[in-house]
Amino acid sequence: MRKVMYLEFERCIGCRACQAACRECGGHDAKERNYVEYVDFFENRQTYPMLCMQCKDPACARVCPANAIQITEEGVVLSAMEEKCIGCRNCTFGCPFGIPKFDFEENKMYKCDMCYDRTQHEIAPMCASVCPSDAIRFIDHDEMMDLRRRRTQMNLIEGKKPSENNKWDYVPEFFGVYSD
């Protein structure tokens, strides 16, 4: 059974455990590669987790002139390979989610790669393994599809319609993302 990431933004309680776990993940050089953002800081304190959406056609990889950003067979978009990255920062400007970050001291890009060293063996990424509210989950594909169906049904019952032509269209099927 294939495991997938599943996000439910409204479950986020803003504890930032996901960021702390990301910093502690091996190979991350004590840098967090995911973020917790405010929905609208001036209106309320509601937060949501922001990590790489593993786009179907990732803009960060498409705009890289050095072909430093690789995509695995499973569709995971990896951080730029240090030996290839030329430090142009095109990836940071190209990503519609603002995920890739650039370290000016080390002259390299880093981003969430879904803890590929873990997820390739179906072990939950660090962020999902510590999230106390289940805003970030690593679950079976069938379970995700069931949650998506139920979510869609509830949205239709509540009269909510999906918006068209937005950045979420880039998110692949294997990555469940929901926000009301």
Side-chain angles (χ1 to χ4, degrees):
M1 184 65 57
R2 189 177 72 168
K3 297 269 191 175
V4 296
M5 289 293 282
Y6 184 77
L7 303 179
E8 285 190 86
F9 289 153
E10 69 276 2
R11 286 178 170 252
C12 182
I13 58 173
C15 68
R16 292 178 168 71
C18 56
Q19 287 182 287
C22 187
R23 268 193 310 273
E24 298 301 318
C25 190
H28 284 192
D29 302 323
K31 290 182 172 65
E32 50 206 38
R33 296 169 183 226
N34 61 0
Y35 314 97
V36 174
E37 304 284 352
Y38 287 98
V39 173
D40 185 349
F41 185 79
F42 295 107
E43 291 291 320
N44 61 45
R45 295 296 179 249
Q46 176 62 48
T47 56
Y48 63 94
M50 199 67 225
L51 42 120
C52 182
M53 295 293 133
Q54 307 301 325
C55 298
K56 294 181 237 181
D57 183 20
C60 61
R62 236 183 17 252
V63 300
C64 179
N67 198 27
I69 302 170
Q70 300 298 305
I71 304 164
T72 69
E73 288 179 17
E74 298 89 355
V76 176
V77 183
L78 302 174
S79 283
M81 294 187 300
E82 289 183 45
E83 62 275 8
K84 283 189 167 186
C85 182
I86 59 173
C88 68
R89 298 183 327 174
N90 283 358
C91 55
T92 63
F93 303 120
C95 176
F97 300 98
I99 296 299
K101 301 298 180 212
F102 192 77
D103 185 331
F104 287 95
E105 290 176 14
E106 296 191 28
N107 197 41
K108 69 177 182 180
M109 177 278 266
Y110 60 95
K111 62 173 270 317
C112 166
D113 59 7
M114 265 180 47
C115 293
Y116 187 65
D117 58 326
R118 296 170 58 94
T119 56
Q120 68 181 334
H121 302 294
E122 297 200 0
I123 301 169
M126 294 297 284
C127 58
S129 68
V130 300
C131 183
S133 64
D134 280 340
I136 306 171
R137 289 187 262 177
F138 191 63
I139 59 178
D140 292 330
H141 185 265
D142 292 342
E143 183 182 354
M144 181 204 57
M145 294 308 287
D146 184 51
L147 287 167
R148 288 178 77 162
R149 273 189 290 280
R150 280 192 271 151
R151 188 63 178 245
T152 301
Q153 289 168 349
M154 285 308 299
N155 284 345
L156 291 173
I157 290 168
E158 295 172 8
K160 298 175 184 170
K161 297 180 193 170
S163 60
E164 294 182 19
N165 297 330
N166 65 28
K167 65 185 179 182
W168 300 107
D169 292 338
Y170 295 103
V171 180
E173 283 289 314
F174 74 83
F175 204 97
V177 179
Y178 291 96
S179 176
D180 289 335

